[in-house]
């Protein structure tokens, strides 16, 4: 099905800038509940979102440490100062209380990350954003297909960003999208992703040019997603529900099989959230984490650790961050292991994985 969609797109008139782009954006809008611009990666999507809110050197954004560093990199590259707010002990999502404590007169945006697919506490963050007149951005690289109080991720924040990297909940190989219920912000994101080109005659600042004319008012980049990949994305979208069901089955299998281990903490889910689980993050005693990780890798189980708190990356060394200010992020990182979570896992794989953990338990 995916293969046929790609072959059809390769045989069509446009490899890029063709009809599949608009169609993928429309299909995405029906999934995420707000208009979308498709771009070439989740990183590009974040860069477009930060550009859309006009981040200037010296502006601050408040972010969680437990994320992939693209959340911060794309704002820092525009000159933002990155402010970290600790995560909640259970979901590893940004703590609304820590966010409010970190607000300053320079804050431009609160940036939430839906860790593992579980939406952040968006209503509490929305209240804080409105109280201080700052933007709310949601890095939803993990969470396309998740809902928060019955509303789809993508319709909740001022700008939401998605990634379609192969490990994520749906893929275009490389790809991403920005969604926004605010047409002005979305148009700014779109222009930034399309070289800043202005094509509407009504908007031209150079009058009476020929029919070939297009002009640039603000610099942009080429973050286009080719038609071939948009066709793949449309095909993937038709199966997103099926993927979500399978991810939920895997989540339930792990939760059930590992529920009796008192040294192992399972992921939690708020009762008003319906996650499209991207990761299955377990927490184990820090003293055993490396041993368990290596044991599982020796058994050919593709475990990972998500994530090194972003401020620990040497690129932040000039920030002089004190880890003691982020006890929950530090504790989470010290204990976390992500079990395999993808739709190709079969019951035999799941049994093998949970048996390996139970075997470790008996040592
Ligand atoms: C994957 C990811 C990104 C970046 O997406 P790419 O498509 O790989 O550029 C950004 N933020 C988070 C939280 C991610 O997991």
């Amino acid at each position: 099905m995916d293969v046929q969609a790609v072959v059809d797109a390769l045989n069509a008139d446009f490899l890029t800038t063709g009809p599949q782009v608009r169609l993928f954006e429309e299909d995405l809008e029906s999934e995420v509940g707000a208009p979308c611009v498709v771009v070439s990666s989740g990183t590009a999507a974040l860069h477009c979102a930060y550009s859309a809110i006009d981040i200037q050197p010296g502006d601050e954004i408040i972010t969680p440490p437990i994320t992939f560093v693209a959340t911060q990199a794309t704002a820092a590259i525009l000159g933002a100062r990155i402010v970290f707010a600790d995560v909640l002990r259970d979901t590893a999502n940004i703590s609304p209380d820590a966010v409010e404590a970190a607000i300053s007169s320079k804050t431009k945006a609160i940036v939430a990350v839906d860790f593992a697919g579980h939406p952040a506490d968006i209503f509490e963050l929305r209240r804080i954003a409105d109280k201080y007149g700052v933007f709310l951005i949601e890095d939803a690289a993990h969470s396309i297909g998740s809902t928060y109080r019955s509303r789809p991720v993508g319709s909740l924040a001022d700008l939401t960003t998605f990634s379609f990297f192969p490990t994520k909940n749906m893929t275009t190989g490389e790809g991403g999208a920005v969604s926004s219920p605010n047409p002005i912000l979305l148009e700014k994101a779109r222009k930034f992703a399309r070289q800043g080109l202005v094509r509407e005659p009504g908007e031209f600042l150079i009058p009476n040019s020929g029919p070939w004319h297009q002009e640039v008012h603000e610099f942009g980049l080429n973050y286009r997603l080719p038609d071939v990949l948009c066709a793949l994305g449309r095909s993937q979208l038709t199966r997103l529900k099926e993927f979500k069901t399978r991810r939920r089955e895997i989540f339930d299998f792990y939760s059930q099989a590992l529920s009796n281990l008192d040294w192992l903490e399972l992921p939690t889910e708020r009762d008003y959230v319906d996650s499209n689980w991207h990761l299955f993050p377990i927490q184990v005693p820090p003293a055993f984490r490396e041993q368990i990780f290596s044991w599982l890798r020796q058994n050919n189980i593709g475990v990972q650790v998500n994530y090194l708190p972003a401020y620990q990356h040497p690129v932040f060394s000039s920030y002089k961050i004190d880890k003691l200010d982020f006890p929950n992020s530090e504790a989470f990182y010290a204990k976390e292991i992500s079990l395999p979570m993808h739709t190709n896992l079969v019951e035999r794989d799941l049994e093998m994985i949970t048996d390996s953990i139970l075997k470790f338990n008996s040592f």
Side-chain angles (χ1 to χ4, degrees):
M1 199 181 158
D2 286 345
V3 172
Q4 194 55 48
V6 171
V7 170
D8 290 348
L10 280 169
N11 283 323
D13 289 340
F14 290 88
L15 286 177
T16 191
T17 70
Q20 293 297 324
V21 180
R22 193 60 226 155
L23 291 170
F24 185 28
E25 288 176 346
E26 286 168 11
D27 292 354
L28 269 174
E29 174 174 352
S30 7
E31 178 60 41
V32 308
C36 294
V37 176
V38 295
V39 295
S40 51
S41 70
T43 305
L46 284 160
H47 199 192
C48 291
Y50 293 136
S51 172
I53 62 166
D54 200 24
I55 289 214
Q56 300 289 323
D59 288 344
E60 294 178 355
I61 62 158
I62 302 176
T63 68
I66 301 297
T67 183
F68 181 58
V69 71
T71 311
Q72 286 92 14
T74 42
I77 264 175
L78 292 169
R81 172 137 191 111
I82 309 304
V83 174
F84 291 98
D86 205 3
V87 297
L88 296 166
R89 191 64 198 82
D90 57 351
T91 58
N93 282 330
I94 198 165
S95 151
D97 289 343
V99 166
E100 189 152 16
I103 294 271
S104 85
S105 60
K106 293 184 182 155
T107 305
K108 187 87 179 201
I110 299 165
V111 184
V113 176
D114 299 333
F115 179 75
H118 189 297
D121 292 305
I122 292 299
F123 281 7
E124 290 81 351
L125 296 171
R126 176 88 266 168
R127 188 190 55 77
I128 299 166
D130 290 347
K131 179 170 167 190
Y132 296 96
V134 303
F135 292 103
L136 177 60
I137 293 179
E138 188 172 355
D139 179 344
H142 296 186
S143 61
I144 190 163
S146 297
T147 64
Y148 174 89
R149 299 184 191 277
S150 306
R151 289 169 56 180
V153 164
S155 65
L156 301 161
D158 293 311
L159 291 147
T160 303
T161 65
F162 300 99
S163 165
F164 307 134
F165 189 71
T167 55
K168 309 291 165 91
N169 291 349
M170 58 170 273
T171 187
T172 59
E174 297 281 0
V178 183
S179 71
S180 176
N182 178 327
I184 295 168
L185 291 178
L186 194 70
E187 191 49 32
K188 284 180 149 179
R190 182 187 301 281
K191 279 222 174 67
F192 187 72
R194 308 283 185 262
Q195 318 262 26
L197 286 169
V198 175
R199 294 200 162 107
E200 285 297 314
E203 295 174 27
F204 288 162
L205 298 178
I206 302 173
N208 307 321
S209 306
W212 57 85
H213 182 70
Q214 47 186 357
E215 58 184 46
V216 167
H217 301 173
E218 284 179 89
F219 292 127
L221 296 166
N222 171 7
Y223 281 152
R224 289 189 295 264
L225 190 66
D227 273 56
V228 178
L229 298 186
C230 290
L232 175 55
R234 294 180 68 206
S235 172
Q236 286 266 302
L237 255 184
T238 63
R239 293 156 67 202
L240 188 64
K241 290 251 168 359
E242 177 194 318
F243 295 157
K244 181 175 179 178
T245 302
R246 183 61 190 147
R247 286 173 175 275
R248 169 67 62 183
E249 285 168 4
I250 295 167
F251 183 92
D252 290 344
F253 184 100
Y254 283 146
S255 300
Q256 182 84 49
L258 303 174
S259 60
N260 290 326
L261 303 178
D262 55 7
W263 52 271
L264 185 152
E265 282 172 72
L266 294 166
T268 47
E269 188 173 24
R270 303 249 189 280
D271 56 12
Y272 48 82
V273 150
D274 180 16
S275 300
N276 189 358
W277 286 102
H278 164 59
L279 302 174
F280 191 86
I282 59 169
Q283 293 178 75
V284 302
F288 297 118
R289 195 262 298 265
E290 193 175 340
Q291 235 179 313
I292 300 170
F293 185 93
S294 302
W295 162 254
L296 294 173
R297 278 281 174 99
Q298 277 161 27
N299 286 282
N300 284 320
I301 298 169
V303 285
Q304 261 304 346
V305 168
N306 304 90
Y307 292 95
L308 177 72
Y311 52 71
Q312 287 200 34
H313 286 285
V315 69
F316 284 111
S317 58
S318 67
Y319 277 56
K320 307 263 184 288
I321 298 278
D322 186 350
K323 292 181 190 180
L324 295 176
D325 291 338
F326 304 95
N328 292 346
S329 299
E330 288 296 317
F332 189 79
Y333 172 60
K335 299 168 93 175
E336 203 267 352
I337 296 177
S338 299
L339 300 186
M341 174 59 96
H342 55 84
T343 54
N344 291 335
L345 291 166
V346 296
E347 305 317 288
R348 197 155 34 84
D349 301 324
L350 298 175
E351 280 160 19
M352 197 272 280
I353 293 164
T354 50
D355 285 351
S356 299
I357 295 171
L358 296 170
K359 219 178 273 172
F360 183 89
N361 183 59
S362 59
F363 292 167

